[in-house]
Amino acid sequence: MKKLLAIATLLFASFTAHAADELHLYNWNNYIAPETVQRFETFCKCKVVQTYYGDNEEMLAKLAAGAKGYDIIIPTGNALDALIKQQALLPLDKAQLPNLKNINPAYLNTDFDKGNKYSVPYAYTVTLLGYNDQKMKELGIPVDSWAAIFDPKILAKIKGKVTVLDSANELMAAALKYLGYSANDTDEQHWQQAKDVILKAKPYWAAFNGSSYIKELTVGNIWLVHGYSNDIFQADVDAQKAGRKFRIRHALPKEGAVLALDSMVIHKAAPRPDLALKFINFMLDGKNAAELSNLIGSGNPNADAAKYIKPEIANNPAIFPDKAGFAKLEMLKDLNGKQRRAINRIWTEIRAR
């Protein structure tokens, strides 16, 4: 056995010695601070090569088609579940991750990866309501419930000034929460009820918009959105830079919402798993982790990062919910083939009508 281990060690050393001193990071766009990348390059005397994807489905499809060469990938929970089932990831050598102790235990041991055999939490977003505070106050519209985007009586006051995410999973989850169900409810009768809620509200919406709603909020064309916490933070930053007279605010609906936890994983075909482990431990340092929250307003599962995050972000309850708010958040689970086909049929009907 010792002889076999020695041979394996030599093979690994030989392989890594011949691979370039590059870490290939497959990530969401604008999801790591440039100064963090530069500091890691100095630390590891390597180069970080970044490739981006726009959503989990795109990333999964690319990998399923045979794409290789990535060391680190940052999937969301349900995509992490899929990658584990596909046996596409390397188990983590936690002896190389002493900074793992910095992660808040509330974000460990999720249903997607019990025991965190393959994944380490990176950052999270909450899907909630973003709004123009000036307009909502003028119109007397409360923004504490999903009713703001689903109740036709409220929507009649802001017709054409509302957008919702162009995502079946996210919009169905919001409608299910509005109805009092779990975001992960898979009862098809409940899905039909959620579809009916969406169809009654749809005539009042300006668009399904998952890409340009930040700009629309910033310039004042749209007053209320169903969107991601970090995007809404960015819209407010941009509005302030532009000298707008209004602020863009977050609102966590009282019925609860979806939390998307993104994690760092190592692909089984990683050219440099040694650099990948160094990167993960580096990003688990509180100061390095905090730079992402300060850049884009993301939630942060790293407890040690809290003291480095700007107070206006750290104290925002929509980005960092308190205990009661956190208890109402759910991570979306992966659907099986039959469920995916059913929800796709519902989504096609919603978009067509």
Side-chain angles (χ1 to χ4, degrees):
M1 180 60 74
K2 287 183 178 178
K3 185 177 180 181
L4 288 174
L5 182 61
I7 292 171
T9 302
L10 285 171
L11 286 172
F12 178 79
S14 175
F15 177 71
T16 54
H18 286 87
D21 289 329
E22 294 179 342
L23 176 83
H24 288 261
L25 175 60
Y26 193 23
N27 197 3
W28 303 83
N29 191 24
N30 194 37
Y31 211 33
I32 186 169
E35 59 267 32
T36 310
V37 172
Q38 292 171 4
R39 211 163 46 251
F40 180 71
E41 289 177 329
T42 301
F43 168 72
C44 76
K45 297 181 175 58
C46 67
K47 180 177 176 56
V48 175
V49 180
Q50 297 195 63
T51 308
Y52 306 108
Y53 52 89
D55 60 48
N56 283 299
E57 294 301 319
E58 175 190 340
M59 176 268 291
L60 291 172
K62 190 171 178 180
L63 293 177
K68 295 180 180 177
Y70 305 117
D71 294 296
I72 294 280
I73 306 171
I74 316 284
T76 309
N78 50 346
L80 167 62
D81 192 15
L83 289 171
I84 292 173
K85 289 175 180 173
Q86 294 166 14
Q87 300 183 331
L89 305 178
L90 285 181
L92 298 174
D93 179 0
K94 293 178 185 170
Q96 306 299 315
L97 304 174
N99 287 336
L100 185 59
K101 66 181 186 302
N102 292 334
I103 295 294
N104 182 333
Y107 297 95
L108 295 172
N109 202 32
T110 66
D111 290 341
F112 305 112
D113 184 16
K114 289 291 185 184
N116 289 87
K117 184 177 179 182
Y118 300 97
S119 65
V120 170
Y122 180 76
Y124 67 82
T125 58
V126 182
T127 311
L128 35 64
L129 299 171
Y131 62 97
N132 180 315
D133 67 338
Q134 183 185 60
K135 292 296 182 184
M136 293 300 106
K137 287 176 182 174
E138 286 175 1
L139 295 166
I141 295 177
V143 194
D144 62 347
S145 163
W146 289 117
I149 62 166
F150 290 130
D151 185 343
K153 292 180 182 175
I154 297 174
L155 289 169
K157 300 178 183 179
I158 48 177
K159 185 175 182 179
K161 297 295 183 181
V162 181
T163 65
V164 296
L165 289 171
D166 190 8
S167 162
N169 291 335
E170 289 284 7
L171 191 56
M172 287 291 287
L176 287 167
K177 295 297 285 185
Y178 176 54
L179 291 168
Y181 302 128
S182 164
N184 287 303
D185 195 314
T186 53
D187 185 321
E188 290 203 27
Q189 288 187 343
H190 296 168
W191 283 4
Q192 290 299 323
Q193 293 175 29
K195 181 192 75 174
D196 292 341
V197 164
I198 292 169
L199 287 175
K200 287 178 181 175
K202 184 183 173 186
Y204 299 91
W205 298 337
F208 294 90
N209 189 338
S211 56
S212 63
Y213 68 92
I214 299 175
K215 181 180 178 183
E216 298 297 330
L217 267 177
T218 301
V219 300
N221 288 342
I222 292 298
W223 302 340
L224 176 65
V225 301
H226 164 231
Y228 300 112
S229 51
N230 54 328
D231 287 347
I232 294 163
F233 169 83
Q234 188 61 52
D236 187 47
V237 169
D238 292 347
Q240 290 181 71
K241 285 181 181 176
R244 308 291 178 192
K245 294 181 180 178
F246 54 82
R247 295 290 302 269
I248 305 299
R249 302 296 189 185
H250 298 78
L252 183 63
K254 60 186 178 185
E255 299 91 349
V258 168
L259 180 146
L261 179 65
D262 295 331
S263 297
M264 295 175 279
V265 300
I266 304 176
H267 193 256
K268 68 177 181 183
R272 293 295 302 267
D274 57 327
L275 283 183
L277 282 167
K278 286 184 179 179
F279 177 82
I280 292 174
N281 196 55
F282 181 85
M283 292 305 301
L284 288 171
D285 176 86
K287 185 177 180 181
N288 296 330
E291 286 178 337
L292 179 61
S293 290
N294 290 332
L295 176 70
I296 65 169
S298 65
N300 204 311
N302 191 314
D304 191 55
K307 57 181 176 284
Y308 302 108
I309 296 175
K310 295 175 184 175
E312 62 269 30
I313 299 173
N315 297 326
N316 187 325
I319 299 175
F320 288 90
D322 59 17
K323 190 174 180 180
F326 186 81
K328 295 180 179 179
L329 301 180
E330 293 183 78
M331 298 185 201
L332 290 180
K333 297 178 181 177
D334 198 22
L335 299 174
N336 63 36
K338 179 183 176 184
Q339 292 164 344
R340 196 172 291 117
R341 288 190 292 275
I343 207 164
N344 284 343
R345 285 195 297 272
I346 290 173
W347 187 240
T348 299
E349 185 179 349
I350 288 170
R351 294 304 307 267
R353 287 174 59 178

